[in-house]
Each structure stands twice: as C-alpha cells, then as structure tokens.
Amino acid sequence: MNTSTANAPARSAPAITRPAPDECQPYFHGYIAKVPTSGAGQALVDQIADVEATFGPLDALAAATIHPPFQWTIGEVMGHLLDGERVFGYRAARIAAGDQTSLPSFDEHLMVNGSDYRNGDCQALLREWIAVRESSLLMFARLTDEQLGRRGNANGNPITARALAWIMAGHVGHHLPIVGRRLGLA
C-alpha cells in the first residue's frame, strides 16, 4: 500500500520527558513501560511506519479475520487504535490548555461496535489513523514543558498531558505485537 508516509516529509520527534508515577493512574503504567527508551516523542514518530507495515499490506479478507480467543477483527483493532489516538489526543489538548473540566471515560467496545469497524475499510482507517497521529505530533511539538505538565482529570482520575503522550505511544506499543502474532508476523 502506498500511503502518505512513503512520500511524507521527515517528521521530528517532540521532546516529551517521562511522566512521574503520580501523573496518571497505575493502570496506565503498563502502557508507559512499553515505550522504548528513546522516549514517547520518537515512539510516536516511529509507530507510523510500524502501524503502516502491519496494517498496510492487509486485504479485506485479512482485515475481517477474527483469531480466537480474540473478539475483534484485525480491522476493528485498527479502528480501536484510531479511537485511542483521538481520545488521548483530545484529552491531552484540553489538559495542556489548562482545562479543568472532568473529562468522561469512553467504552472501547461501544466505540468499536458503534463505529461499525467490522464492515469498514481497514486501509481507510489506516490513512485516517496516520492523519490523526500526524496531528498529534504537531500538537505535542508545540506544547511547552509547562503545558505538558499541566494536570487535569480524565475518567475521574488525575492525569497530565505528558502522561497522555506516553500512554498514546504505549497503547499502540501494546497492540502492535498482539496483531503481529495474530498475523504471523512475530
């Protein structure tokens, strides 16, 4: 598949320091631990090629496959990655701006099912994910250390914009190896 990354300009990795443990709930520490030592900014850049390499070659049949015991098709996982990218990025934008509104949780299963990713075009979802990730990179690149360190509330819990950048990278870092095993790539 020839998507925007093949001819895209070089992306620069925003510098985003590792969050302290108190910048998010312990549930997210596992995602943060999946981010390579190069940091979240570099992972956010590198994952564009990784996600494209994993999902780009898939035809409609492969994208529609469920591998028990998993309940989602590969295309639905791509949709879930897209949902996560949007939600984490939105939360980071609001919190970095100093918004103290308590941001609601989201039900990942409701989002996947309600968006009908099972019957969607995985390649279109991949292109959409790349666009959202590139937008997130631009946002994180312009945020100051002060903005990244601002605390807000998501899902009833305190969190910083910085932690959300690391969680975003860790979320993809969590799912890609699973998809790779399902596809026989790992």
Side-chain angles (χ1 to χ4, degrees):
M1 176 182 162
N2 183 12
T3 64
S4 62
T5 60
N7 298 314
R11 295 173 185 91
S12 59
I16 307 167
T17 58
R18 181 177 289 276
D22 71 342
E23 291 187 44
C24 64
Q25 291 300 301
Y27 169 82
F28 290 117
H29 293 174
Y31 283 154
I32 292 170
K34 292 191 179 298
V35 178
T37 57
S38 58
Q42 190 61 53
L44 291 170
V45 170
D46 293 345
Q47 286 173 344
I48 294 172
D50 297 341
V51 170
E52 188 174 30
T54 301
F55 291 91
L58 300 180
D59 61 20
L61 181 61
T65 302
I66 296 176
H67 303 92
F70 301 101
Q71 298 177 359
W72 287 346
T73 66
I74 297 294
E76 286 173 314
V77 175
M78 183 70 250
H80 171 65
L81 293 178
L82 175 60
D83 292 339
E85 197 75 13
R86 279 210 169 95
V87 170
F88 297 139
Y90 174 74
R91 289 175 175 176
R94 298 260 318 253
I95 291 168
D99 190 339
Q100 292 296 302
T101 305
S102 182
L103 302 172
S105 65
F106 75 104
D107 182 328
E108 63 191 45
H109 298 286
L110 178 69
M111 295 274 301
V112 166
N113 294 334
S115 297
D116 197 26
Y117 294 137
R118 184 164 290 200
N119 295 312
D121 178 349
C122 187
Q123 298 306 310
L125 293 173
L126 172 59
R127 290 189 302 276
E128 190 176 347
W129 181 88
I130 291 169
V132 175
R133 171 55 65 92
E134 288 177 340
S135 174
S136 296
L137 280 167
L138 291 169
M139 175 187 68
F140 286 122
R142 72 170 166 74
L143 296 177
T144 65
D145 286 338
E146 177 191 342
Q147 290 169 318
L148 287 167
R150 287 183 179 154
R151 292 179 184 266
N153 187 296
N155 195 24
N157 298 297
I159 197 162
T160 64
R162 174 182 20 257
L164 284 158
W166 282 73
I167 292 164
M168 184 182 289
H171 181 248
V172 171
H174 165 76
H175 283 288
L176 272 185
I178 296 168
V179 171
R181 286 192 299 276
R182 288 176 65 179
L183 295 172
L185 302 173

